[in-house]
Amino acid sequence: DAGVIQSPRHEVTEMGQEVTLRCKPISGHNSLFWYRQTMMRGLELLIYFNNNVPIDDSGMPEDRFSAKMPNASFSTLKIQPSEPRDSAVYFCASKRQGANTGELFFGEGSRLTVL
Amino acid sequence: GDSVTQMEGPVTLSEEAFLTINCTYTATGYPSLFWYVQYPGEGLQLLLKATKADDKGSNKGFEATYRKETTSFHLEKGSVQVSDSAVYFCALSEKTSGNQFYFGTGTSLTVIP
């Protein structure tokens, strides 16, 4: 079975540009999470969705960040405008909602560098 | 609220040494507990889990026991290998928190030959 698929794997952009990161969760999983990982701050939860509905976006750093989940098989995380401090690895993860014993499956991450 | 506190790193061990990485948690209900491992350049992957008190999770020689009385889930391995070098994350998930996952800060382990 395919795991969580993220794209792009690497993105280098200039400050002020729009960045869109994409995620395809595992089929049948109805909870989706976006995390950001940096050396300084470790792993941070940005937002998570249950059944395509955002449940908690308190981790989204500021209005420059937005996330959508238009259907069960696709989510985007957008940064507009991007800034150098947004440089990080962004992970998408999915699981079956309601299964607190269930495993959270991670994608391989999108490494973003903002110059 | 729910949270996980794990031992700060980095940890450096010689091959075949004994490993312990401490993890304690705070939860309002009855969480499931997890250890995830992240190898360089990769995403996190599940190493082991325990879903109720006194359960022991085990995988690849690693073990952790869910201790409700001490709210702990310490990771142990009797004899580490160079290939165990990675970052280890303790985590919990609880139904009362909407099954959101709470991760510790991660502990970097380097095993030297």
Side-chain angles (χ1 to χ4, degrees):
Chain A
D1 285 343
V4 176
I5 299 172
Q6 292 187 245
S7 65
R9 290 295 312 279
H10 302 275
E11 172 102 8
V12 180
T13 191
E14 293 189 345
M15 182 173 65
Q17 297 298 305
E18 177 179 295
V19 173
T20 299
L21 308 178
R22 297 172 177 81
C23 176
K24 178 178 168 54
I26 291 173
S27 177
H29 286 187
N30 50 4
S31 288
L32 183 140
F33 300 72
W34 281 101
Y35 289 88
R36 177 172 69 175
Q37 186 177 39
T38 61
M39 289 293 291
M40 291 295 294
R41 301 170 72 96
L43 193 66
E44 303 173 276
L45 176 65
L46 299 178
I47 185 172
Y48 80 98
F49 297 83
N50 282 342
N51 295 316
N52 314 338
V53 176
I55 300 301
D56 183 355
D57 65 354
S58 59
M60 295 286 262
E62 47 198 273
D63 291 347
R64 297 185 298 106
F65 285 69
S66 62
K68 294 183 179 178
M69 192 163 186
N71 57 61
S73 58
F74 184 66
S75 177
T76 59
L77 178 67
K78 188 173 292 188
I79 308 172
Q80 166 64 12
S82 58
E83 296 183 4
R85 60 190 166 127
D86 302 330
S87 297
V89 181
Y90 291 81
F91 288 103
C92 178
S94 71
K95 71 186 291 286
R96 284 193 178 85
Q97 181 198 1
N100 71 306
T101 59
E103 177 182 349
L104 187 61
F105 291 82
F106 281 78
E108 294 190 333
S110 294
R111 180 176 294 277
L112 172 65
T113 302
V114 183
L115 303 174
Chain B
D2 294 355
S3 67
V4 173
T5 301
Q6 68 179 99
M7 174 176 143
E8 298 228 356
V11 174
T12 302
L13 295 174
S14 297
E15 208 165 19
E16 300 184 3
F18 184 85
L19 168 72
T20 300
I21 301 178
N22 290 339
C23 172
T24 57
Y25 68 90
T26 301
T28 52
Y30 304 94
S32 293
L33 302 174
F34 305 81
W35 277 100
Y36 278 78
V37 59
Q38 184 180 29
Y39 298 105
E42 298 184 11
L44 281 71
Q45 55 187 275
L46 181 68
L47 178 61
L48 54 85
K49 71 177 184 182
T51 58
K52 61 184 188 297
D54 300 325
D55 268 3
K56 178 186 283 189
S58 61
N59 186 24
K60 300 181 181 180
F62 290 89
E63 291 183 340
T65 301
Y66 189 143
R67 302 278 188 207
K68 195 170 190 304
E69 64 275 14
T70 54
T71 61
S72 65
F73 193 56
H74 304 321
L75 182 68
E76 296 182 337
K77 186 173 185 182
S79 176
V80 294
Q81 305 300 311
V82 172
S83 57
D84 294 327
S85 299
V87 180
Y88 293 83
F89 293 87
C90 186
L92 74 80
S93 177
E94 187 172 27
K95 217 168 197 177
T96 56
S97 302
N99 295 315
Q100 184 182 154
F101 267 69
Y102 296 87
F103 284 89
T105 52
T107 302
S108 175
L109 170 67
T110 300
V111 180
I112 54 178

